[in-house]
């Protein structure tokens, strides 16, 4: 991802060890709860999946990974947290609340990046809501629109998309053009392509730097992983 992540390769066993007790124990029951995007077989083991994620993340530079995706926090933070999410996924709505608090507590130390991962096979409003949120983002209101969609998840549909945009004072002509545009489709497909490369199986999926965190993981797991990654980063900077 960048030179810092390359230097952190030597800390990878430590990261796996930290996540091992908490993540592996959570992974099987969580995967039963997280909706699958397709019927493709998942990687053979959590360790195999982690290796795939690390290879993909380390093969790309930070700018290309983030792209034009909506972000929160410190743009120069050494820790980047990616969330792959679907606005119609109920687990994503719960995670959005957790992430609002977690990122708010660490806004100087984390860059939080939202990636669209609409599960179109099971959520008919996943793509329309993603397009609407992208369009709101073109007018600088992605995160407010994001919150509105999750709070009103049981009302997803055309009426809500227009209602939220009007309540936010968006230029409605631009909003409607943007959400119907080829650019909106391309942006979402780019996120989906990254999710495919990472072999993500459902939503929400999180990656902190290059460490995969299962969807539904409790807030304390994020805190623990953040603390350990931050400590590893600080140790790399010592003489």
């Amino acid at each position: 991802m960048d030179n810092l992540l390359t230097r952190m390769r030597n800390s990878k066993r430590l990261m796996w060890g930290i996540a091992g007790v908490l993540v592996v124990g959570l992974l099987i029951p969580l995967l039963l709860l997280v909706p699958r995007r397709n019927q493709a077989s998942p990687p053979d083991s959590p360790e195999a999946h982690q290796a795939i994620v690390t290879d993909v993340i380390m093969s790309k530079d930070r700018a290309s990974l983030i792209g034009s995706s909506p972000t929160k926090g410190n743009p120069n933070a050494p820790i980047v947290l990616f969330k792959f999410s679907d606005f119609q996924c109920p687990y994503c709505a719960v995670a959005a609340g957790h992430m609002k608090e977690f990122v708010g507590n660490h806004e100087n130390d984390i860059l939080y990046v939202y990636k669209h991962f609409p599960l179109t096979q099971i959520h008919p409003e996943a793509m329309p809501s993603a397009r609407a949120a992208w369009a709101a983002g073109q007018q600088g209101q992605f995160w407010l629109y994001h919150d509105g969609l999750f709070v009103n998840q049981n009302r997803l549909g055309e009426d809500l998309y227009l209602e939220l945009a009007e309540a936010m004072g968006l230029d409605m002509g631009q909003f409607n053009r943007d959400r119907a545009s080829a650019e909106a489709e391309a942006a979402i497909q780019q996120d989906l392509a990254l999710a495919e490369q990472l072999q993500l199986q459902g939503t929400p999926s999180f990656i902190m730097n290059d460490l995969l965190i299962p969807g539904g993981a409790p807030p304390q797991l994020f805190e623990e992983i953040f603390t350990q990654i931050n400590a590893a980063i600080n140790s790399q900077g010592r003489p």
Side-chain angles (χ1 to χ4, degrees):
M1 186 171 171
D2 57 18
N3 289 336
L4 176 60
L5 287 181
T6 301
R7 294 199 306 272
M8 286 181 65
R9 274 187 181 276
N10 292 334
S11 299
K12 184 54 59 188
R13 288 183 181 177
L14 172 63
M15 295 300 105
W16 285 346
I18 295 160
V21 175
L22 293 170
V23 175
V24 176
L26 287 166
L27 189 62
I28 293 175
L30 287 170
L31 286 178
L32 294 176
L33 293 174
V34 176
R36 293 273 178 96
R37 179 172 182 262
N38 53 47
Q39 298 302 313
S41 298
D44 293 337
S45 67
E47 293 81 7
H49 197 180
Q50 177 59 67
I52 291 166
V53 169
T54 294
D55 286 346
V56 171
I57 295 294
M58 298 296 289
S59 71
K60 301 176 184 294
D61 61 52
R62 178 183 176 118
S64 65
L65 279 169
I66 296 170
S68 59
S69 296
T71 64
K72 272 186 176 182
N74 180 1
N76 299 314
I79 298 177
V80 181
L81 175 60
F82 297 95
K83 179 191 181 186
F84 289 79
S85 182
D86 172 338
F87 286 111
Q88 201 172 357
C89 163
Y91 310 104
C92 293
V94 174
H98 292 162
M99 287 301 101
K100 193 167 189 176
E101 181 177 359
F102 174 72
V103 175
N105 289 339
H106 302 289
E107 59 183 7
N108 293 325
D109 303 306
I110 282 181
L111 180 64
Y112 181 46
V113 183
Y114 186 96
K115 294 291 186 181
H116 293 285
F117 192 16
L119 309 182
T120 55
Q121 293 181 348
I122 58 175
H123 291 155
E125 290 300 324
M127 185 62 80
S129 58
R131 284 175 162 274
W134 185 89
Q138 302 313 291
Q139 299 186 50
Q141 294 292 352
F142 172 82
W143 291 107
L144 185 59
Y145 204 91
H146 159 284
D147 292 348
L149 290 174
F150 278 130
V151 168
N152 297 281
Q153 193 176 59
N154 63 334
R155 295 180 53 217
L156 289 180
E158 185 67 10
D159 289 346
L160 177 64
Y161 307 146
L162 295 174
E163 179 185 318
L164 289 175
E166 289 171 351
M168 293 174 194
L170 300 185
D171 179 319
M172 295 304 294
Q174 180 184 342
F175 174 75
N176 287 323
R177 287 192 301 274
D178 283 344
R179 65 188 176 125
S181 68
E183 290 79 8
E185 178 70 19
I188 295 166
Q189 290 301 325
Q190 187 173 33
D191 287 354
L192 283 168
L194 179 58
E196 292 285 356
Q197 283 184 277
L198 294 163
Q199 296 192 29
L200 302 181
Q201 297 297 304
T203 57
S205 290
F206 294 92
I207 298 172
M208 192 180 298
N209 280 3
D210 63 333
L211 186 67
L212 179 64
I213 305 173
Q220 59 266 32
L221 178 58
F222 287 86
E223 290 288 350
E224 179 68 15
I225 292 174
F226 167 80
T227 298
Q228 297 298 334
I229 291 179
N230 203 37
I233 290 170
N234 291 335
S235 69
Q236 291 289 336
R238 293 170 191 159

